[in-house]
Short mmCIF file of all heavy atoms in Angstrom, two decimals:
data_model
loop_
_atom_site.label_atom_id
_atom_site.label_comp_id
_atom_site.label_asym_id
_atom_site.label_seq_id
_atom_site.Cartn_x
_atom_site.Cartn_y
_atom_site.Cartn_z
N VAL A 327 8.51 18.54 -9.50
CA VAL A 327 9.26 19.38 -8.56
C VAL A 327 10.68 19.65 -9.06
O VAL A 327 11.24 20.72 -8.78
CB VAL A 327 9.28 18.73 -7.17
CG1 VAL A 327 10.21 17.52 -7.12
CG2 VAL A 327 9.70 19.74 -6.11
N THR A 412 7.58 19.87 -1.32
CA THR A 412 9.00 19.48 -1.35
C THR A 412 9.87 20.40 -2.19
O THR A 412 11.10 20.22 -2.20
CB THR A 412 9.11 18.04 -1.91
OG1 THR A 412 8.48 17.98 -3.21
CG2 THR A 412 8.42 17.05 -0.99
N VAL A 415 13.03 22.03 -0.58
CA VAL A 415 14.17 21.14 -0.40
C VAL A 415 15.02 21.11 -1.66
O VAL A 415 16.25 21.19 -1.61
CB VAL A 415 13.69 19.72 -0.03
CG1 VAL A 415 14.87 18.76 0.12
CG2 VAL A 415 12.88 19.74 1.24
N VAL A 416 14.36 21.01 -2.81
CA VAL A 416 15.09 20.96 -4.08
C VAL A 416 15.77 22.29 -4.37
O VAL A 416 16.91 22.33 -4.85
CB VAL A 416 14.13 20.57 -5.23
CG1 VAL A 416 14.85 20.55 -6.56
CG2 VAL A 416 13.50 19.21 -4.96
N ILE A 417 15.10 23.38 -4.08
CA ILE A 417 15.69 24.70 -4.34
C ILE A 417 16.96 24.90 -3.51
O ILE A 417 18.01 25.30 -4.03
CB ILE A 417 14.67 25.81 -4.05
CG1 ILE A 417 13.53 25.77 -5.06
CG2 ILE A 417 15.35 27.18 -4.09
CD1 ILE A 417 12.42 26.76 -4.76
N ALA A 419 18.90 22.64 -1.99
CA ALA A 419 19.97 21.71 -2.37
C ALA A 419 20.58 22.08 -3.72
O ALA A 419 21.81 22.01 -3.90
CB ALA A 419 19.43 20.28 -2.40
N SER A 420 19.74 22.47 -4.66
CA SER A 420 20.24 22.83 -5.99
C SER A 420 21.08 24.11 -5.93
O SER A 420 22.12 24.21 -6.60
CB SER A 420 19.07 23.02 -6.96
OG SER A 420 18.32 21.84 -7.08
N PRO A 456 25.14 16.05 -9.32
CA PRO A 456 25.06 15.18 -8.13
C PRO A 456 24.39 15.86 -6.94
O PRO A 456 23.59 15.24 -6.23
CB PRO A 456 26.52 14.85 -7.84
CG PRO A 456 27.21 14.98 -9.16
CD PRO A 456 26.53 16.11 -9.84
N GLY A 457 24.71 17.13 -6.71
CA GLY A 457 24.07 17.85 -5.61
C GLY A 457 22.58 18.06 -5.84
O GLY A 457 21.77 17.98 -4.90
N ILE A 458 22.21 18.33 -7.09
CA ILE A 458 20.79 18.48 -7.42
C ILE A 458 20.05 17.17 -7.18
O ILE A 458 18.94 17.15 -6.65
CB ILE A 458 20.62 18.96 -8.88
CG1 ILE A 458 21.20 20.37 -9.04
CG2 ILE A 458 19.16 18.92 -9.30
CD1 ILE A 458 21.23 20.86 -10.47
N MET A 459 20.69 16.06 -7.55
CA MET A 459 20.07 14.75 -7.33
C MET A 459 19.90 14.46 -5.84
O MET A 459 18.95 13.79 -5.44
CB MET A 459 20.92 13.66 -7.98
CG MET A 459 20.81 13.62 -9.50
SD MET A 459 19.12 13.34 -10.08
CE MET A 459 18.75 11.77 -9.32
N THR A 460 20.80 14.99 -5.02
CA THR A 460 20.63 14.83 -3.58
C THR A 460 19.35 15.50 -3.11
O THR A 460 18.60 14.95 -2.30
CB THR A 460 21.84 15.43 -2.85
OG1 THR A 460 23.03 14.76 -3.26
CG2 THR A 460 21.68 15.30 -1.34
N GLY A 461 19.08 16.70 -3.62
CA GLY A 461 17.84 17.38 -3.27
C GLY A 461 16.62 16.61 -3.75
O GLY A 461 15.61 16.52 -3.04
N VAL A 462 16.70 16.03 -4.96
CA VAL A 462 15.58 15.24 -5.48
C VAL A 462 15.36 14.00 -4.61
O VAL A 462 14.21 13.62 -4.34
CB VAL A 462 15.85 14.84 -6.94
CG1 VAL A 462 14.77 13.91 -7.46
CG2 VAL A 462 15.95 16.08 -7.82
N ILE A 463 16.44 13.38 -4.16
CA ILE A 463 16.32 12.19 -3.29
C ILE A 463 15.62 12.55 -1.99
O ILE A 463 14.72 11.84 -1.53
CB ILE A 463 17.72 11.61 -3.01
CG1 ILE A 463 18.31 11.00 -4.29
CG2 ILE A 463 17.66 10.55 -1.91
CD1 ILE A 463 19.76 10.63 -4.18
N LEU A 464 16.01 13.66 -1.39
CA LEU A 464 15.37 14.09 -0.15
C LEU A 464 13.89 14.42 -0.38
O LEU A 464 13.04 14.11 0.47
CB LEU A 464 16.09 15.32 0.41
CG LEU A 464 17.54 15.10 0.87
CD1 LEU A 464 18.18 16.42 1.27
CD2 LEU A 464 17.59 14.12 2.03
N ALA A 465 13.58 15.03 -1.53
CA ALA A 465 12.19 15.36 -1.84
C ALA A 465 11.36 14.09 -2.03
O ALA A 465 10.23 13.99 -1.56
CB ALA A 465 12.13 16.23 -3.09
N MET A 466 11.93 13.11 -2.72
CA MET A 466 11.22 11.85 -2.94
C MET A 466 10.96 11.14 -1.62
O MET A 466 9.87 10.59 -1.38
CB MET A 466 12.02 10.95 -3.87
CG MET A 466 12.06 11.42 -5.30
SD MET A 466 13.24 10.48 -6.31
CE MET A 466 12.58 8.83 -6.13
N ARG A 549 22.92 9.54 -9.42
CA ARG A 549 23.79 10.60 -8.93
C ARG A 549 25.26 10.19 -9.01
O ARG A 549 26.12 10.98 -9.43
CB ARG A 549 23.44 10.93 -7.48
CG ARG A 549 24.27 12.06 -6.89
CD ARG A 549 23.91 12.29 -5.44
NE ARG A 549 24.25 11.15 -4.61
CZ ARG A 549 23.99 11.05 -3.31
NH1 ARG A 549 23.37 12.04 -2.71
NH2 ARG A 549 24.34 10.00 -2.63
#
Side-chain angles (χ1 to χ4, degrees):
V327 73
T412 56
V415 178
V416 178
I417 292 175
S420 300
I458 294 173
M459 286 301 301
T460 300
V462 175
I463 291 170
L464 295 174
M466 289 171 59
R549 182 183 65 184

